[in-house]
Amino acid sequence: MATHVFTGFSQPLVVIWRTNVKFTYLLASVALASVTSAQVSVDWITTHDVAPSVDNFVGGVAVDATGRVAVGGHTDVDTWPNTNDNFETCLYGSDGTLLWSRSVNVDNYERCSAVAFDGTGGIFVAGRGDPYDDEVETDNRTLMHYDAVGNLLWRNTLSGTGRNSGSALALCPNGDVILAGARNSDLSLERFDPAGNILWSWSADGGNGGSDLLVAVALGPGGDVWAAGTAHTSTSTDIVVVRVSSAGVPVWIRTLDGADHQSDYGRALAVDAAGNATVAGDIGKNLTSNFDFSDAAIAHWDPAGNLAWVRTYGGTANNGDYAGRIALDPFGRIVVAGAVFNSATNFDFAVWCLDTAGSLIWQRTWDGGFGGFEHLGDLVVDARGAVWLCGASPESTAGYPYDATIASWDSTGAFRWSWRYQDPGVSRWAHVAALRGNSVIVAGSMKTTLFDAWVAKLDRTAVEFCFGDGSSAPCPCANASAPVQHAGCANSLGVGARLVDEGRSSLAADTFVLLGSQMPNGDALYFQGTSWMSGGAGDPFGDGLTCAGGALIRLGSRTNIAGTSRFPAVGGLSVSVRGLVTTPGTRTYQAWYRDSSAFCTTASFNFSNGLLITWTL
C-alpha cells in the first residue's frame, strides 16, 4: 500500500492503496484487443515486456505533479519452475514514453508492494524477496530509492526469520519515508531519511507469536504515524491499528476481534485531520456451511485509540465479503470499496459512503454485466467527491477472460460510467494511480502468450464546472446550493439544478444525452456553447449563473417531469447534429429553466451547472 498527496485541486487529494487483496488469478485468452468506454477517451496505452519475453506483473503505480508515471512490479526472468524473479521499476513521461526501466534481484522471488515519488523526481520502491517462494517463512524486506534518471541511490534489505516485508509507504514533508510491514513476523514501522539511513525502527508482536503484518500507513496531525493490518492474537487473527509518534515512540496499539473469534483482517487505512483513524477490512463469521464466510468491516478509532464504532456489511450469499480500500472525500465523509458475494451475481464491486459517526449515507454494488466474480483493485476519490473504483471483471458469462475495469459514481452515489480494457488475453486487474485534472492513470497486467505490464492515461470526455455552491461566481441572492450536489444555484425547491451526461460523445456513433434533474416541473431549455463564461466561474444572471458561452446554439426544450428531463428525446436528432458539431473538439452545455418569480430575483428563471464535453471521432 502507499499513500500519496496530489495537488492541483481545490484541496489536496490523498490516495491510499495496497496491492494483492483477495485476487483470483485466472489465465485465459481471446483474439481481440479493444477499449470500451462511455465517458472517457484513451490518450495513450503502452505495454512493457522485459526482453527476452517473460511474465511482467504490476504491484503499484504513482503519478507526480508533472504527470510522470512510476510503475513498480516484478518480472519472471526464467521459465517454470521459477527461480529468479526481479523487481521491475519503470518511469513513463506524461505522454506515455518509457523514460527508463530498472531490474533488481535481491532474492529469488521479488514482489513489489508499493511505489511513491519522493518529491524531487525520484522514486521509492518497497516490497519483499523470498528465496523459496513460501510467502512467509524467510521473506526479506526491501526498500529502494532511485533518482529521477534511474540511478539506484540505495537499497536497504532486511533479512531474518519469518516474514520480513515492506508493504506500504508514507512520505514525510521533509523527504523522509515511512515503511510499514513486518520484521521477523512482527508488526513493523521504520523511518528512513532520503539517504537511506534508518532514523528509527519500531516493531511489536501481535500477541500470539504468529505472522503479523501492517499493510497500510498514513501520517496524521503533528507528523505521527498511523498504521493498520493484521495480528495473530490469542483468539485468531485480528484487525490491528497502531499509532506511533514522529520520533518512533509507540502511543497506542489496538486490536479488533469479531464476535465469532474467527479470522479478521485489516486491509486499508485513512486518517483525518483530527487524528481519527478508519480501517477497512473484513471480520470472519462462524458459519458451518461455509468456512470462508466473512463480512466487510469498517472500524473507526478516535485519536486516543478508543473504538468509536464498527460497521459490517455483507452480500446475500454468506460468503467472503470484504472491504479493501478506503479514502476520505472533500466533504469529510468516509468512502470504502470492496466486494460482496450476492446469490444472483456472485462477487460484485461494492462501495459504501459513511459519515464520521458511522451512519451510512449511501451504498452501491455493481456487477460488470455477466454475473461473474468482480475483483477489487484500487479506489480514489476526486476533488468533487466522485468515486473511481477499478479491478477486474469477466467479459462474458463464461466467467473468463477477465478485463481491467473501472466504474465511477458521483458524490451522491449515482452511477456515472464504466470503462473496460479487453486486451488480447486477460487483464488480471487495474490499479488507479491518481486523478490529475481531467485525466486518470491506470496500470495492470495482461496476458498474450505471457503477461505484459500495461499503463494507460484516460481523459474524461465530460467535466462538470460552474457550480452554485460558492466555488464559482456568487449566486445572485446568496442562494448557494450544497457542495455535494454539484449543481447550479438553489431554486424554489431548495436545491440546485443538476446537469450530467450519458452515452458517448463520438461523432461516428453519437449516443450522447444531456440529463437535467432537481428542477421544478415545467419547461427546460438545453443549449450549447463554444466556450465557458469567466474562465469557468460563470456570471450571475436571473436566479443563477450562465456557464456556457461563446457562440450559443439552442438545442431544444423538454418538459420536466418529476423535476427531470433529457435531451434529445428518444429517437430525436442527436446532440452533434443539433449543435452542428462536425469535427472533434470541446463544447459547453447548460440547461435553463423556469422557476418561481418570488423565489430570488424577479427574473423567474435559473440555470443548471455547466458541462464541458470533448467530442471525439
Side-chain angles (χ1 to χ4, degrees), residues 18-333:
R18 176 185 172 260
T19 61
N20 300 328
V21 179
K22 287 198 174 182
F23 292 117
T24 300
Y25 307 128
L26 302 178
L27 308 184
S29 63
V30 293
L32 177 66
S34 66
V35 176
T36 60
S37 68
Q39 290 152 303
V40 293
S41 62
V42 179
D43 192 345
W44 50 262
I45 290 182
T46 186
T47 60
H48 181 67
D49 181 19
V50 176
S53 293
V54 297
D55 282 329
N56 301 264
F57 301 109
V58 170
V61 59
V63 181
D64 72 3
T66 68
R68 298 185 313 154
V69 181
V71 178
H74 74 274
T75 59
D76 293 343
V77 297
D78 55 9
T79 57
W80 182 264
N82 298 324
T83 58
N84 196 19
D85 298 352
N86 288 345
F87 287 110
E88 184 75 8
T89 306
C90 299
L91 179 67
Y92 296 87
S94 59
D95 61 353
T97 301
L98 179 64
L99 301 179
W100 53 260
S101 64
R102 300 291 184 266
S103 294
V104 171
N105 181 257
V106 178
D107 234 318
N108 289 337
Y109 298 91
E110 323 298 359
R111 296 294 183 268
C112 173
S113 300
V115 295
F117 281 98
D118 65 4
T120 63
I123 300 169
F124 289 108
V125 180
R128 67 174 182 89
D130 185 344
Y132 303 110
D133 194 27
D134 55 16
E135 296 295 330
V136 173
E137 295 302 324
T138 54
D139 296 354
N140 298 323
R141 187 271 292 138
T142 295
L143 177 65
M144 297 180 289
H145 191 191
Y146 292 94
D147 67 14
V149 295
N151 297 311
L152 182 60
L153 301 176
W154 50 265
R155 185 186 77 204
N156 187 297
T157 299
L158 172 68
S159 301
T161 59
R163 169 178 279 169
N164 293 276
S165 179
S167 301
L169 297 172
L171 304 182
C172 303
N174 68 344
D176 293 349
V177 61
I178 306 294
L179 177 65
R183 181 186 182 97
N184 295 331
S185 292
D186 290 340
L187 307 168
S188 175
L189 288 168
E190 295 169 295
R191 181 168 183 147
F192 294 80
D193 68 15
N197 301 305
I198 297 180
L199 302 178
W200 54 257
S201 180
W202 171 88
S203 63
D205 176 58
N208 201 33
S211 182
D212 310 316
L213 180 65
L214 294 173
V215 299
V217 64
L219 296 182
D224 280 7
V225 180
W226 278 255
T230 304
H232 278 76
T233 66
S234 59
T235 56
S236 183
T237 58
D238 293 343
I239 294 172
V240 63
V241 59
V242 303
R243 179 179 178 179
V244 175
S245 76
S246 60
V249 178
V251 179
W252 48 258
I253 179 170
R254 301 288 187 266
T255 57
L256 175 62
D257 181 26
D260 290 348
H261 309 300
Q262 299 297 304
S263 297
D264 312 317
Y265 296 94
R267 303 186 183 277
L269 166 74
V271 178
D272 65 23
N276 299 294
T278 309
V279 176
D282 46 277
I283 289 179
K285 304 284 284 188
N286 186 11
L287 189 70
T288 56
S289 64
N290 192 331
F291 67 91
D292 194 33
F293 179 54
S294 61
D295 283 340
I298 306 168
H300 188 79
W301 285 264
D302 69 16
N306 300 306
L307 181 62
W309 49 262
V310 180
R311 302 289 183 266
T312 57
Y313 304 95
T316 62
N318 281 346
N319 212 309
D321 310 314
Y322 67 94
R325 299 292 186 271
I326 190 168
L328 304 178
D329 77 3
F331 314 110
R333 306 180 304 181

